[in-house]
Amino acid sequence: MKFTAISHPNIALIKYWGKADEKLNIPLNNNISITLDKLTTTTTVEFSEKYPKDSLILNKKETANLERVERVLNEIRKMAGIKDKAKIVSENNFPTGAGLASSSSGFSALALAASKAAGLNLDKKELSILARLGSGSACRSIYGGFVEWLAGKKSEDSYAIQIAKPDYWDLKILVTIIKEDEKEVGSTKGHSLAKENPFLETRLKILDKYLKDVRNGIKEKDFTKVGKAAEFDCISMHATMMTSIPMLLYWTTGTIRVINAVKKMREEGLECYFTIDAGPNVKVLCLPENAKKIESKLREVKGVKNVIENRPGEDARISEDHLF
Ligand code: DP6
């Protein structure tokens, strides 16, 4: 049987950076994200004895390195008691590997489509754990809206939960596209560098306060509280990246220009905050009444190629539109 799933990437307000367990993708800290409605991954999976090996065609190109994909597939095969290989075809409607969290929607869609294709009917907690084995942040994309990943200590207790549904709060997340190229250092390598970095300890020490601010800020719909804490946590993560050996610098001139534009808009009374993952592209958080104005100002910033307006998106879900 063939199954297709749709999932959205998520943007972390409190970041996952550094792993307690590198094989199982168990994070050092709880973290919180928003699922983005406009960016989408669609993945079709079929298990069959006619396939001699597992294969993945991502954005129309055959992918050679299937290590992380096979971690998820092997777990599914174990759970379902099957041996068949899988054919996977996956497509993103946004740049892949450019710090737009394509692995989060990618592995979330894979966990859902592949588990269904293997005849399993997993609940969301089980899907979240499965997606996490492929890429940590993917465990959050199983859910839409506002999501917290409970770090846990072992595989069974490291999974995401939903804090609030997508329509709970109409926040806007303006994704500014500065560079669409694949990044040179992927986040998996970055996580391992973080562990040896003495600044990580300080980041983790102060993180709890910001985690609470974001969690409570979402519950209270206090935009200032959420925005300030998220922006601070982003800077704290990038400071940790920059002080790794070798240095990890994901920002480009365009990134800094957008950061400055956000600061300037705020000084002028237009409230917005930035956050950035492992890439140069900046996500700007704002309230709906200011979104159009902020978007047009962002479009004027040199180096900004496009701005995609998002709001909190839906859970990962099954679709009837197969890719093969
Ligand atoms: C900076 O989930 O991509 O986006 O578990 O090794 O696949 P792996 O890492 P990944 O790391 C995401 C890092 C981040 C912050 C975040 O999304 O929380």
Side-chain angles (χ1 to χ4, degrees):
M1 269 284 258
K2 201 183 281 180
F3 271 88
T4 298
I6 293 177
S7 181
H8 305 290
N10 61 75
I11 171 75
L13 300 178
I14 296 294
K15 311 291 186 186
Y16 148 51
W17 198 244
K19 301 183 189 183
D21 187 316
E22 297 207 349
K23 270 218 174 86
L24 293 172
N25 293 334
I26 296 185
L28 289 167
N29 57 280
N30 280 27
N31 45 81
I32 296 179
S33 62
I34 305 180
T35 301
L36 304 174
D37 74 328
K38 287 280 160 41
L39 311 183
T40 301
T41 298
T42 306
T43 301
T44 302
V45 182
E46 182 178 45
F47 286 95
S48 166
E49 52 186 25
K50 68 184 179 210
Y51 299 128
K53 58 180 179 56
D54 292 324
S55 68
L56 165 64
I57 297 166
L58 174 60
N59 296 330
K60 311 215 171 352
K61 271 195 226 136
E62 176 106 36
T63 304
N65 185 355
L66 293 186
E67 197 218 314
R68 299 202 295 166
V69 167
E70 289 196 321
R71 261 190 246 162
V72 176
L73 294 179
N74 289 342
E75 187 63 23
I76 290 173
R77 280 190 278 253
K78 202 163 83 188
M79 290 166 103
I82 58 168
K83 289 214 156 53
D84 292 347
K85 301 293 181 194
K87 174 174 175 175
I88 308 163
V89 177
S90 184
E91 263 162 35
N92 295 329
N93 73 347
F94 60 95
T96 303
L100 291 173
S102 53
S103 70
S104 66
S105 47
F107 282 100
S108 153
L110 177 69
L112 178 57
S115 59
K116 292 290 273 182
L120 297 168
N121 251 325
L122 304 181
D123 63 23
K124 292 218 190 267
K125 177 175 159 184
E126 291 169 312
L127 285 171
S128 181
I129 291 172
L130 197 53
R132 195 204 71 231
L133 297 175
S135 175
S137 54
C139 75
R140 300 185 305 230
S141 276
I142 292 294
Y143 289 99
F146 301 81
V147 181
E148 179 160 356
W149 175 5
L150 311 174
K153 294 253 178 287
K154 39 187 196 326
S155 197
E156 313 85 85
D157 56 22
S158 185
Y159 56 88
I161 56 167
Q162 191 176 51
I163 304 177
K165 291 199 180 303
D167 54 7
Y168 169 77
W169 194 11
D170 184 20
L171 273 193
K172 298 291 183 214
I173 308 98
L174 306 177
V175 177
T176 65
I177 307 289
I178 293 164
K179 205 164 166 249
E180 303 191 7
D181 307 346
E182 279 207 35
K183 56 198 173 202
E184 281 157 26
V185 183
S187 29
T188 306
K189 172 90 177 107
H191 283 289
S192 67
L193 293 177
K195 265 200 107 172
E196 295 152 20
N197 181 337
F199 291 90
L200 182 69
E201 206 181 305
T202 310
R203 166 174 159 73
L204 294 173
K205 234 183 246 164
I206 55 179
L207 189 138
D208 260 356
K209 174 190 168 348
Y210 297 98
L211 185 72
K212 278 192 198 112
D213 278 358
V214 168
R215 197 189 288 129
N216 294 336
I218 292 168
K219 285 186 183 144
E220 296 155 11
K221 296 189 185 167
D222 181 339
F223 179 59
T224 307
K225 194 186 259 184
V226 172
K228 276 189 175 163
E231 194 173 284
F232 181 85
D233 188 67
C234 161
I235 298 168
S236 145
M237 178 184 74
H238 281 272
T240 310
M241 290 166 160
M242 288 177 205
T243 50
S244 291
I245 302 171
M247 169 176 76
L248 271 184
L249 179 60
Y250 287 110
W251 297 0
T252 62
T253 317
T255 312
I256 295 171
R257 286 201 177 105
V258 175
I259 292 175
N260 283 332
V262 167
K263 270 178 64 191
K264 187 155 179 273
M265 283 191 264
R266 226 158 42 212
E267 279 155 20
E268 291 167 357
L270 211 48
E271 193 175 17
C272 54
Y273 300 90
F274 66 83
T275 186
I276 308 158
D277 279 340
N281 301 309
V282 185
K283 290 88 181 177
V284 179
L285 303 168
C286 65
L287 292 169
E289 56 270 30
N290 296 329
K292 282 285 156 276
K293 213 164 173 186
I294 293 172
E295 181 179 332
S296 70
K297 285 191 184 274
L298 288 171
R299 285 186 186 279
E300 284 165 18
V301 178
K302 199 171 159 200
V304 171
K305 291 188 185 157
N306 195 10
V307 180
I308 309 167
E309 185 189 297
N310 286 265
R311 49 159 293 137
E314 299 293 323
D315 292 13
R317 57 205 176 273
I318 291 296
S319 153
E320 300 303 321
D321 296 326
H322 303 309
L323 295 179
F324 65 93

